[in-house]
Amino acid sequence: GFSIDGFKNRDNFAVVFDGFIRIEKAGEHVFFVVSDDGAQILIDGELVTNNDGIHPAQESKGKVQLDPGFHSIRV
């Protein structure tokens, strides 16, 4: 998981998390994010979920077909 605990009670900031995830089994995988005022998840450079905009905390999820192996993730 990713956390922005170090930014709690702050306004007007952005954080980008880059890394890799390892997929064990081919198939459809679901990714979700809960954010207040916007977040996106990209897998291998493709937008999987977009929770953009000004809003209270809400969940957004998306599905993507992935083969086994490592895949880049950006949140």
Side-chain angles (χ1 to χ4, degrees):
F2 301 100
S3 174
I4 59 166
D5 286 343
F7 293 92
K8 284 189 175 180
N9 301 319
R10 297 183 67 191
D11 288 323
N12 303 314
F13 69 91
V15 178
V16 176
F17 297 99
D18 281 313
F20 292 91
I21 55 171
R22 185 176 68 187
I23 299 299
E24 298 284 333
K25 187 176 180 182
E28 185 175 74
H29 296 269
V30 178
F31 294 85
F32 70 93
V33 64
V34 176
S35 70
D36 174 357
D37 293 345
Q40 298 177 330
I41 298 176
L42 292 91
I43 304 294
D44 294 334
E46 285 190 40
L47 186 64
V48 173
T49 186
N50 187 356
N51 198 8
D52 202 9
I54 305 296
H55 53 74
Q58 65 185 27
E59 180 180 296
S60 176
K61 64 182 173 180
K63 301 175 184 177
V64 62
Q65 286 288 131
L66 295 173
D67 291 327
F70 286 92
H71 298 269
S72 66
I73 183 170
R74 173 174 273 194
V75 179

